[in-house]
Amino acid sequence: MQSKLNTLSKRVLLLIIPIVLSFHGCAPSFTSWQSPSFQEHKFKKVVVIGMFKRLNTRTSFEEEIVKAFEAEGYVAVHGMSVFPPTYQPSSQEDLERILKNESFDLVLMSSVTDRTQETQYHQGTTYYGGYRGYGMYNYYNYNYGYNMYYGGYGYGWSDPGYYSTNVVDLVETKAFDISGKTKAEEANIWVGQSKITETSDMRKAARIYAKQLIIDLKKRNIIN
């Protein structure tokens, strides 16, 4: 009995380890740049402007980044409430005038700067149904020999791997300091990028991106 349990434990570990590694491998990397001339100071009011063609994508990113800033104690505003989708600024001066009239001192602008297709192989899994648990269904299958035919002599059965193709966007966010404490020509104080796989749940993708963005801004002392 002990020998069977040890064998089962080893097989469970062999199943779990690839799954754990795959979760770590799925975490998107976040790269960034910071202006060497930026002098640390406290920002008071942030506006987040999503420049995405799809309205639901813009809404998701603006709302999730705003919530992430609010969680850090900042006053943050959705760009949609300042610049609706139909708005076209006539000039740089026009854009700055609107932002400064609303007392913003930090502007974040997000957009897709590149789009690619990536093919990924999903490794199959071997299931050890014959020894897994003592539920009625598994017990019935094992003892009547179904695993003998479908799983390789009672050890289980295999689920073959497969390929999938995904659309991957490179989402970039630029931070502009318009507080007056940074020279106008050096207003772009930070840039952050991360690859995001297009999914039906863009809200979740935006939430993960917002979390990464805040972590990097804090690490670089842009916000504190």
Side-chain angles (χ1 to χ4, degrees):
M1 182 65 180
Q2 185 64 38
S3 175
K4 282 188 176 182
L5 288 174
N6 289 337
T7 302
L8 176 59
S9 298
K10 290 178 182 178
R11 288 170 178 160
V12 170
L13 283 173
L14 288 173
L15 289 173
I16 291 175
I17 290 173
I19 294 172
V20 172
L21 291 176
S22 69
F23 274 116
H24 284 286
C26 288
S29 60
F30 195 94
T31 58
S32 65
W33 166 89
Q34 179 182 358
S35 170
S37 62
F38 173 69
Q39 299 294 318
E40 295 178 27
H41 63 88
K42 179 72 174 180
F43 291 103
K44 297 178 180 178
K45 192 176 182 182
V46 185
V47 61
V48 180
I49 305 172
M51 299 178 294
F52 301 98
K53 291 182 179 180
R54 295 180 181 176
L55 187 60
N56 68 320
T57 302
R58 176 179 180 178
T59 302
S60 296
F61 273 83
E62 286 190 359
E63 290 182 352
E64 291 302 326
I65 295 175
V66 163
K67 284 194 290 187
F69 268 96
E70 289 176 338
E72 297 295 326
Y74 284 85
V75 176
V77 176
H78 309 97
M80 192 86 72
S81 64
V82 183
F83 302 115
T86 55
Y87 172 74
Q88 292 292 333
S90 59
S91 64
Q92 172 74 16
E93 291 73 23
D94 180 38
L95 189 65
E96 290 183 358
R97 176 185 57 79
I98 295 172
L99 292 170
K100 289 180 178 179
N101 282 346
E102 296 290 336
S103 300
F104 296 117
D105 52 6
L106 180 61
V107 181
L108 268 74
M109 306 179 78
S110 299
S111 64
V112 173
T113 60
D114 190 33
R115 173 168 289 180
T116 57
Q117 284 193 336
E118 293 186 358
T119 300
Q120 182 179 7
Y121 176 71
H122 303 267
Q123 187 172 357
T125 306
T126 299
Y127 300 92
Y128 295 94
Y131 296 114
R132 185 176 57 184
Y134 293 96
M136 183 170 61
Y137 178 78
N138 285 339
Y139 184 75
Y140 180 91
N141 272 350
Y142 180 67
N143 281 277
Y144 271 83
Y146 289 105
N147 290 326
M148 183 74 75
Y149 295 101
Y150 297 104
Y153 305 100
Y155 288 104
W157 62 95
S158 294
D159 180 16
Y162 63 95
Y163 289 92
S164 65
T165 301
N166 300 308
V167 175
V168 179
D169 291 332
L170 181 64
V171 177
E172 177 181 87
T173 299
K174 291 189 176 184
F176 296 88
D177 179 0
I178 60 171
S179 65
K181 298 178 181 179
T182 299
K183 295 179 181 179
E185 62 270 22
E186 299 174 349
N188 184 194
I189 58 173
W190 176 90
V191 180
Q193 294 181 334
S194 181
K195 288 184 177 181
I196 292 180
T197 301
E198 282 204 346
T199 171
S200 58
D201 191 356
M202 288 305 296
R203 175 71 60 175
K204 182 179 179 180
R207 190 176 302 121
I208 294 171
Y209 182 85
K211 183 178 180 180
Q212 292 176 310
L213 180 147
I214 290 294
I215 289 173
D216 197 88
L217 287 174
K218 292 175 71 174
K219 181 178 70 176
R220 292 184 175 276
N221 294 318
I222 302 293
I223 63 173
N224 47 52

